[in-house]
Amino acid sequence: EKLISIANRAIADYGFRQTVLYGAEDIANDLAAIIELTESGKISQQAAKSVLERNFQDGGAPDRLVAQLGLVQISDETALAAA
């Protein structure tokens, strides 16, 4: 629910320009990818918001944006203990 609210806000803020430049089908695919990244636990909902906003502003594949922004969620207890 929160992610859909974020998506609606991003579309309201950037949607028209981005839809014209990028294409509605690509936006839907990117949104689906962001939802998948969130549901799989690879990124948090807060990270999803950042990725969605960056995607609407600058474009780019969500998985690449996650890596560029350093937003991969660490859930491995050993890795967390080492950090």
Side-chain angles (χ1 to χ4, degrees):
E1 292 177 18
K2 287 183 181 181
L3 194 56
I4 291 177
S5 174
I6 292 166
N8 286 334
R9 193 180 85 216
I11 289 168
D13 290 347
Y14 306 105
F16 178 74
R17 176 179 62 87
Q18 198 66 10
T19 300
V20 171
L21 296 176
Y22 193 54
E25 185 176 332
D26 293 325
I27 291 171
N29 290 336
D30 287 350
L31 181 56
I34 293 168
I35 291 169
E36 173 63 30
L37 289 166
T38 304
E39 289 180 349
S40 69
K42 292 181 181 175
I43 61 173
S44 67
Q45 286 191 355
Q46 185 63 35
K49 177 182 175 184
S50 297
V51 172
L52 182 64
E53 288 175 350
R54 179 65 70 89
N55 177 266
F56 270 74
Q57 290 172 357
D58 303 329
D63 56 341
R64 280 185 278 164
L65 292 172
V66 167
Q68 288 173 353
L69 298 170
L71 297 174
V72 175
Q73 186 166 275
I74 300 172
S75 57
D76 178 9
E77 302 228 358
T78 306
L80 287 171

